[in-house]
Amino acid sequence: MMKVCVIGTGYVGLTTGTVLAEFGHDVYCVDKDQHKIQLLIRGHIPIYEPGLEEMVKQNKQLGKLHFSNNLQEALQICSVIFITVGTPPLADGRPNLTYLKRVIEEISSNLTSHKTIIIKSTVPPGTNEWVATSLLEKGIEPTLFDVVSNPEFLREGSAVWDMLHPDKIVIGIKRPEPIKTMQALYRNVNASFIITSLTGAEMIKYASNAFLATKISFMNEMSRICDAYNVDIKEVALGLGTDPRIGPLFLNAGLGYGGSCFPKDLQALEQAALQKNITPEILLAVQKVNDTQIDFYFAKLNEALTSLKNKKITVWGLAFKPETDDTRYSRALHFIEKLVGAGAEVHAYDPIVQLDTSPPICHTMIYESIENSDALIVATEWDEFKKIDWKKVKDLMKGSIVVDGRNFLDPQLLKRYHLNYVGVARP
Ligand code: UDX
């Protein structure tokens, strides 16, 4: 059991701290946001993450999980420090490292005994080398710290599961000493350790997300070609997925990727390449396909309705994917912007998200959201939408168009209820 400080209680920090407490460590989650810490102390979770609230409550009751605003005190108590602060994109796409630099500043003025400083935040290649160098330049004795790069591979909506069952633990180090500490931290996890340099670990994180996004944009480009040849993209995905070199996951064409990771990480990796005068051709194409994919659905809807002006259109699903309340870079919100721009009256329903801005007009009841609608756009693959009563949908709508933005509805089933299924490469 180790005393662990986790700095930053977003979905990565809170999940990391809670699961480490579940592993039996004594964890101090610290955040400068007093309101957030007060919420956590009262047992409320500021994010929607399946399984997290229960695990937080249990480990708080066991006295293994503490929440505080006092970083100085936590730094005195703990020998292992995880940094999980946000690194949101700047206007030019580079990650904003302000929060990381502030935390390093604070750690450096509280380093009186050896600390293993573990950066889990997603940071550009070379950042952790900068952290190590800057601590030395502040006059900190090299024997007083080790910097480790330990990127996370958590998916929102399954972050707890992903942390309990990782397929790997990536460790970037400058010297072998911290490996023992990392093995002790993750002793409950049955996964291979991938040991590399600080920059190597940063690069693995970016390359991983960039490759996943590439798979998605590849399938989205294939859906455009298949649409022109009247071929079902779902059948092409099946045909690809059986090849173990390709694998069946992340081959779902649709409205494209959103979330707080892929868009940000691709921009950051693109900037990292450009800083070394390398033009990342594929990364640029992956982003371009993702930025324009919605246009293909928009064109189909326009064609089906002839005009969008003053039409009532309902969008189901506002978050960037199911099982989360995160709307960052949500494709649904981007689509709504285009619909509003074309003069449509947009209504929306999401099982969790309630927007406080309008448009769209947000509904809390799913069937109310489609009353007299000319068209329905299903933008995220919530189970609730798949199991809906399509006869009731047809009776309530004014029009009959259903746009399947995630290729997860059954065209034949909708046809049976005289609904007009609209998709890209879904003949
Ligand atoms: C991703 C990575 O999966 C995770 O490993 C990393 O740590 C953080 O970024 P996340 O962004 O939470 O996780 O969600 P993910 O499930 O990867 O989906 C990202 C986006 O891609 C979503 O908008 C989803 O709708 C879209 N997607 C995913 C597709 O469009 N097609 C697919 O086949 C899979």
Side-chain angles (χ1 to χ4, degrees):
M1 185 276 281
M2 306 171 93
K3 291 194 179 300
V4 179
C5 171
V6 177
I7 306 173
T9 56
Y11 100 94
V12 173
L14 187 55
T15 305
T16 300
T18 305
V19 172
L20 286 170
E22 184 76 5
F23 287 165
H25 301 299
D26 192 19
V27 180
Y28 294 76
C29 288
V30 178
D31 200 300
K32 63 185 183 334
D33 182 333
Q34 310 246 3
H35 173 65
K36 194 188 272 192
I37 290 296
Q38 284 316 312
L39 265 176
L40 288 163
I41 288 171
R42 289 203 302 274
H44 298 299
I45 310 292
I47 53 170
Y48 177 91
E49 194 53 61
L52 187 58
E53 184 151 39
E54 191 45 44
M55 196 177 275
V56 167
K57 282 200 176 105
Q58 274 169 1
N59 285 285
K60 267 170 91 275
Q61 274 157 10
L62 289 170
K64 306 295 287 174
L65 187 56
H66 319 271
F67 296 107
S68 153
N69 299 114
N70 187 337
L71 177 55
Q72 204 160 5
E73 181 188 56
L75 291 173
Q76 299 308 327
I77 298 169
C78 303
S79 61
V80 173
I81 319 288
F82 274 92
I83 300 180
T84 53
V85 294
T87 54
L90 294 164
D92 67 3
R94 285 178 306 118
N96 180 350
L97 300 179
T98 309
Y99 310 114
L100 173 73
K101 290 177 176 174
R102 262 190 221 140
V103 164
I104 294 300
E105 199 57 49
E106 189 134 11
I107 291 173
S108 64
S109 46
N110 286 281
L111 254 176
T112 50
S113 59
H114 184 273
K115 305 289 176 195
T116 303
I117 302 168
I118 306 165
I119 289 91
K120 190 171 271 294
S121 300
T122 303
V123 291
T127 302
N128 289 316
E129 281 292 351
W130 168 83
V131 169
T133 309
S134 69
L135 287 169
L136 292 171
E137 284 169 355
K138 291 176 193 317
I140 308 287
E141 275 302 310
T143 54
L144 272 184
F145 70 94
D146 277 289
V147 174
V148 176
S149 177
N150 174 220
E152 48 81 18
F153 298 89
L154 308 181
R155 293 164 297 171
E156 290 196 39
S158 54
V160 172
W161 195 91
D162 289 341
M163 179 128 188
L164 291 169
H165 311 92
D167 56 79
K168 58 182 171 292
I169 304 279
V170 173
I171 306 288
I173 49 174
K174 284 182 80 66
R175 61 181 195 141
E177 278 69 7
I179 293 175
K180 285 189 300 300
T181 304
M182 300 310 287
Q183 285 165 337
L185 275 171
Y186 290 109
R187 64 176 181 225
N188 309 58
V189 168
N190 176 19
S192 50
F193 269 53
I194 295 174
I195 310 283
T196 177
S197 64
L198 291 178
T199 308
E202 293 159 343
M203 204 62 87
I204 289 170
K205 169 65 184 175
Y206 278 110
S208 170
N209 273 2
F211 187 76
L212 291 167
T214 301
K215 280 188 96 171
I216 295 167
S217 282
F218 175 77
M219 291 309 287
N220 283 334
E221 179 154 76
M222 282 309 302
S223 74
R224 300 173 185 187
I225 300 168
C226 288
D227 193 67
Y229 281 86
N230 219 24
V231 167
D232 189 333
I233 187 66
K234 298 285 279 185
E235 292 166 10
V236 171
L238 269 179
L240 265 62
T242 54
D243 183 330
R245 296 169 302 171
I246 297 173
L249 302 179
F250 273 67
L251 295 179
N252 303 328
L255 292 172
Y257 60 78
S260 61
C261 299
F262 287 173
K264 165 175 84 78
D265 291 352
L266 265 88
Q267 281 185 67
L269 188 54
E270 174 196 330
Q271 288 301 320
L274 292 172
Q275 275 165 24
K276 300 288 186 187
N277 300 318
I278 293 157
T279 304
E281 309 289 357
I282 293 176
L283 298 180
L284 292 166
V286 167
Q287 295 174 87
K288 184 161 179 248
V289 166
N290 198 58
D291 290 344
T292 54
Q293 182 65 3
I294 280 180
D295 300 345
F296 286 77
Y297 286 87
F298 190 80
K300 291 251 179 182
L301 179 64
N302 227 346
E303 191 187 324
L305 282 176
T306 59
S307 158
L308 295 175
K309 197 153 179 49
N310 302 324
K311 293 289 187 341
K312 180 178 175 182
I313 304 203
T314 300
V315 175
W316 282 354
L318 292 171
F320 81 95
K321 66 170 189 174
E323 294 304 327
T324 180
D325 60 353
D326 193 342
T327 58
R328 285 176 288 184
Y329 294 87
S330 159
R331 297 288 83 197
L333 297 187
H334 184 61
F335 205 144
I336 287 170
E337 273 168 35
K338 286 179 72 76
L339 293 169
V340 170
E345 177 193 308
V346 186
H347 291 245
Y349 168 81
D350 184 284
I352 312 177
V353 176
Q354 277 297 316
L355 298 176
D356 45 20
T357 53
S358 172
I361 298 162
C362 277
H363 296 261
T364 52
M365 311 291 283
I366 187 164
Y367 289 110
E368 181 193 277
S369 72
I370 49 158
E371 283 171 5
N372 296 321
S373 288
D374 295 290
L376 165 63
I377 295 165
V378 186
T380 49
E381 54 279 46
W382 276 99
D383 256 356
E384 180 182 352
F385 304 157
K386 198 175 178 107
K387 294 171 183 156
I388 206 77
D389 176 347
W390 290 108
K391 179 177 180 329
K392 194 169 175 184
V393 169
K394 171 65 179 145
D395 294 345
L396 286 167
M397 284 179 71
K398 178 180 164 197
S400 61
I401 292 160
V402 178
V403 176
D404 180 0
R406 292 295 170 189
N407 294 336
F408 79 120
L409 301 177
D410 176 355
Q412 300 317 316
L413 177 69
L414 270 63
K415 217 167 270 178
R416 209 177 307 148
Y417 292 104
H418 310 296
L419 287 164
N420 173 6
Y421 178 100
V422 173
V424 173
R426 298 305 310 279

